[in-house]
Amino acid sequence: MAERSEHREQTPGERSPGEQSLTGATEARGLEALISRAARAGKGPAPVERWNPEFCDDLDMEIKADGTWFYLGTPIGRMPLVQLFSSVLRKDADGKTYLVTPVERVGIRVVDAPFIAVEMNVSGSGNDQVITFRTNVGDVVAAGPGHPLRFVDEDETGGLKPYVLVRGRLEALVARPVMYELVEHGEEIDIGGRAMFAVRSGGEVYPLMPAEKLKRLSA
């Protein structure tokens, strides 16, 4: 009598036996093949917020403060590959940043912000003003509802570091040349009875610092 083989259907997103995991990839190109199946390469960010895979391990991947990506200690020079990896990024409530696919979640290191805002455009004026940023990986976001700006004091220089929310909890650090351009569009605005130096975008007001502090710095 012929022996009956047992067959179990593979659930959606489940890896086939022997299929490599993210943490098992020994080079960036190995990661590329694994992630491209989940990221819908070239079609924007993957729906990582809807995926809830188990945490597997930390990956030897780091995004430096200048936005350069490293894997296994080597910089990733191919921008399409960086864009692919960035499309499956997610920052969770625990403060850690992960690469996420339907079947795996692996931690990576981020020195500052995962993205850098490298260009900006301003349209309109007053309450109708909109400031739009382009990131180093190609995201385009207009500051305003859903994409707020925030400013953090930079203790070592006495300056400010602006950030814009790109998606989820992922932010872009506004590059210094772009920050100087951003400041040129600031104005003194009364906020809660206090004069603040602030910028407007998308119908919202984002304070940088008290107006009197700006006057002291400019003196």
Side-chain angles (χ1 to χ4, degrees):
M1 183 172 64
E3 184 177 326
R4 186 177 65 183
S5 62
E6 184 176 341
H7 173 74
R8 179 179 66 86
E9 288 190 5
Q10 189 173 329
T11 58
E14 182 182 5
R15 285 197 303 272
S16 300
E19 185 177 341
Q20 191 180 32
S21 67
L22 295 178
T23 53
T26 57
E27 59 179 13
R29 283 186 178 275
L31 280 178
E32 180 178 11
L34 295 170
I35 290 176
S36 63
R37 291 194 287 270
R40 302 176 301 166
K43 299 181 181 179
V48 294
E49 303 298 334
R50 300 203 300 265
W51 297 339
N52 191 31
E54 292 293 327
F55 172 70
C56 295
D57 203 349
D58 288 324
L59 196 66
D60 187 7
M61 180 176 282
E62 182 174 50
I63 305 175
K64 300 290 189 180
D66 66 355
T68 302
W69 289 57
F70 281 74
Y71 183 54
L72 300 175
T74 302
I76 303 173
R78 291 179 55 228
M79 180 50 63
L81 190 53
V82 169
Q83 291 172 324
L84 175 65
F85 292 163
S86 72
S87 70
V88 293
L89 275 184
R90 190 177 80 193
K91 186 175 183 180
D92 287 358
D94 60 7
K96 290 189 63 176
T97 304
Y98 301 91
L99 295 181
V100 183
T101 74
V103 296
E104 287 185 271
R105 177 167 55 97
V106 295
I108 70 168
R109 301 184 301 278
V110 180
V111 174
D112 195 336
F115 309 130
I116 305 292
V118 294
E119 186 179 1
M120 63 171 275
N121 177 74
V122 179
S123 61
S125 61
N127 289 328
D128 296 324
Q129 179 170 278
V130 176
I131 302 174
T132 303
F133 296 92
R134 179 180 63 84
T135 74
N136 60 318
V137 295
D139 294 298
V140 176
V141 294
H147 301 283
L149 280 165
R150 71 181 181 100
F151 297 87
V152 176
D153 290 326
E154 193 173 23
D155 295 333
E156 59 269 25
T157 66
L160 285 175
K161 294 172 69 174
Y163 298 84
V164 59
L165 186 64
V166 176
R167 60 178 181 271
R169 297 183 179 90
L170 300 173
E171 291 182 309
L173 170 66
V174 178
R176 193 164 296 276
V178 181
M179 181 194 72
Y180 294 143
E181 185 179 354
L182 176 64
V183 169
E184 291 178 1
H185 294 276
E187 58 184 296
E188 188 172 313
I189 301 174
D190 184 275
I191 300 176
R194 187 179 188 186
M196 300 291 293
F197 183 70
V199 293
R200 302 178 189 266
S201 183
E204 297 190 347
V205 175
Y206 300 104
L208 283 75
M209 65 181 70
E212 65 267 20
K213 180 179 179 181
L214 178 63
K215 291 174 182 176
R216 289 197 306 270
L217 293 174
S218 303

